Amino acid sequence: MQISFKEETDDTAIKAGVVRCDDWLKSAYQIFKHPRYYLVEVLMKKFDPSFKPAELAWVTKDKLHRSDIVEVARQMSEEMTEGHDPEGIDYDNSYIRIFA
């Protein structure tokens, strides 16, 4: 499942922007029903094309609940943007990928 960093405030718009494939298409409810291990990847792109996109992958060591994934992604994005000008990050083309 892939979720954009676009600053949407409407739940409908956020859900419409989620890209799903494989098991996420038919059984997202079952995936999130119980705590489990996840691989979370964050890709942050910058407007300056001379910079390579920054990528960070993190595999959970403990089983997480669905609500904890958002916190993990937030911590990862903060770590990746620390020391960088927030105006220079292309949030519309940056995303989080979650593998279960």
Side-chain angles (χ1 to χ4, degrees), residues 38-90:
Y38 294 94
L39 169 64
V40 181
E41 291 180 347
V42 175
L43 178 94
M44 301 295 278
K45 293 188 179 182
K46 297 181 181 173
F47 288 115
D48 184 345
S50 66
F51 287 103
K52 285 183 157 182
E55 294 185 56
L56 180 63
W58 187 75
V59 179
T60 60
K61 294 178 183 173
D62 299 312
K63 291 184 179 182
L64 296 178
H65 290 277
R66 176 176 74 174
S67 59
D68 296 330
I69 293 173
V70 174
E71 178 61 21
V72 167
R74 186 190 64 73
Q75 289 174 2
M76 291 171 68
S77 63
E78 280 183 4
E79 181 179 325
M80 294 173 76
T81 57
E82 189 174 321
H84 296 280
D85 178 12
E87 297 296 319
I89 297 171
D90 182 3

Side-chain angles (χ1 to χ4, degrees), residues 16 18 23 25 32 39-40 49 53-54 56-57 64 68 81 88 91 95 97:
V18 173
D23 288 340
L25 285 171
F32 283 136
L39 169 64
V40 181
L56 180 63
L64 296 178
D68 296 330
T81 57
Y91 287 101
Y95 55 80
R97 284 188 178 158

